[in-house]
Amino acid sequence: MRKTNPTSLLKQSSVAGMLLILSACGGGSAGTNEGNAVGKEIACALLSCKDSADLALQDISTHFVVTQRNGVVQISGRLGQSANILTVVRPSGNDQLSASSNGQAVTLSATDELRNRYSAQIPDASAQPFVIANFIRAGTTYSNTVTLPPTFSIVNPVGPVTLARSAGKLRVQFSRSMPGNLSIRVTMKCTRYDGSSFNEQSDLSFKLEPDAYRIDTLDLDRVLNARSVAANNNNANTSLVSYCDLELTWSHYTIGSTHPSLNKYSTISGERSVSHQVFYDARL
């Protein structure tokens, strides 16, 4: 089995998610069904929807993300065509997605009207669940496997944090070592100096110190202002960010093995995440 990287999955999910939100909303009360149908047609035109039965096995890329919370394993998955980020491949014919963990097997069900995303849950309170996620065609199962990393928590700083721009850095310490495969995403609710506001999300960079992970406030400030400009129709004259309520989500993931008969861009990862609140003040 080969090792794969979930980075392409994250990028593909983000792009597809934005287009689905913009194109497949469907409308309000009257004519909702008709609006949804039109929305799906527009979304499929943008995303190049294809039926899996029309594709050769070696062209189908499977993308699975496995998490665990409160004793329940969540398996999320979708299909793609090779590395094409704007192609939605929908299971058709006898093709289907399934998963198993802790001796229990389930079929993944569609979570959206485009049949783009699929998910299932399995009760499993083990410390590090071993999960098998499958693409099934003509009675043959093509399995992808991953073991979730151990749980972790933030040891320092504890509780909501106030971070001034002049502080220079935010140091974060975890309950265990986090070798490689660590990412951070920031959800921001910000106010600009002119009193206007915006809500956005972004990935965030960090640096590794001997005993902690460090976020530099100058890097954070650049990201916040870049998302601010983007949220304001890329207006170069957008007022600078003044202060923000931030949720920082740290994710540690393991990369699993994908079936060699599937497309080489297939991915499966097991992820653990923790979040904490930060009040950022660019005025100080």
Side-chain angles (χ1 to χ4, degrees):
M1 297 284 185
R2 64 180 178 278
K3 300 289 184 179
T4 56
N5 194 306
T7 301
S8 60
L9 169 61
L10 298 176
K11 292 180 179 178
Q12 292 176 43
S13 297
S14 298
V15 174
M18 288 188 293
L19 289 171
L20 287 173
I21 291 172
L22 290 173
S23 305
C25 300
S29 53
T32 297
N33 291 336
E34 182 179 351
N36 284 340
V38 172
K40 285 187 285 185
E41 289 178 5
I42 295 174
C44 273
L46 289 172
L47 296 173
S48 181
C49 293
K50 296 184 178 181
D51 290 332
S52 65
D54 295 333
L55 298 177
L57 180 66
Q58 63 267 25
D59 294 327
I60 292 178
S61 53
T62 56
H63 303 285
F64 295 101
V65 176
V66 181
T67 59
Q68 182 194 45
R69 186 174 183 180
N70 298 327
V72 176
V73 167
Q74 172 86 31
I75 305 99
S76 300
R78 71 177 193 87
L79 300 179
Q81 181 182 17
S82 185
N84 299 337
I85 64 173
L86 293 182
T87 298
V88 171
V89 176
R90 303 179 295 189
S92 62
N94 293 321
D95 294 348
Q96 60 179 308
L97 302 176
S98 71
S100 62
S101 177
N102 197 29
Q104 304 172 79
V106 294
T107 299
L108 274 64
S109 300
T111 61
D112 67 295
E113 292 187 354
L114 279 183
R115 294 184 290 119
N116 174 37
R117 293 177 174 83
Y118 286 71
S119 70
Q121 294 183 333
I122 300 175
D124 188 343
S126 58
Q128 290 185 257
F130 174 75
V131 178
I132 303 172
N134 308 302
F135 174 72
I136 302 174
R137 167 171 285 184
T140 301
T141 299
Y142 302 91
S143 297
N144 312 274
T145 62
V146 69
T147 299
L148 268 69
T151 59
F152 69 102
S153 60
I154 297 174
V155 175
N156 187 53
V158 177
V161 178
T162 298
L163 178 65
R165 185 174 185 270
S166 60
K169 61 184 177 182
L170 172 68
R171 299 177 75 253
V172 180
Q173 295 174 310
F174 298 109
S175 58
R176 64 172 175 83
S177 62
M178 311 284 281
N181 297 338
L182 184 69
S183 64
I184 179 172
R185 188 153 184 85
V186 56
T187 301
M188 59 193 81
K189 298 179 180 180
C190 297
T191 299
R192 305 181 181 98
Y193 274 98
D194 64 3
S196 60
S197 60
F198 68 95
N199 298 341
E200 273 286 347
Q201 292 186 337
S202 177
D203 293 328
L204 198 60
S205 63
F206 60 87
K207 298 177 175 65
L208 181 61
E209 295 186 344
D211 63 338
Y213 292 83
R214 186 183 85 239
I215 298 172
D216 291 335
T217 56
L218 291 182
D219 292 338
L220 174 61
D221 200 73
R222 279 192 288 268
V223 169
L224 297 178
N225 279 289
R227 298 313 303 159
S228 173
V229 171
N232 194 31
N233 297 316
N234 293 312
N235 184 349
N237 295 318
T238 300
S239 180
L240 293 174
V241 167
S242 177
Y243 56 90
C244 300
D245 287 319
L246 308 177
E247 181 180 23
L248 303 184
T249 301
W250 299 80
S251 297
H252 185 219
Y253 58 89
T254 52
I255 301 170
S257 299
T258 58
H259 197 283
S261 296
L262 296 169
N263 188 267
K264 67 178 181 179
Y265 290 104
S266 296
T267 60
I268 183 170
S269 64
E271 300 184 1
R272 300 283 191 186
S273 298
V274 295
S275 299
H276 56 145
Q277 302 299 315
V278 174
F279 177 76
Y280 175 72
D281 198 332
R283 302 164 297 182
L284 301 177

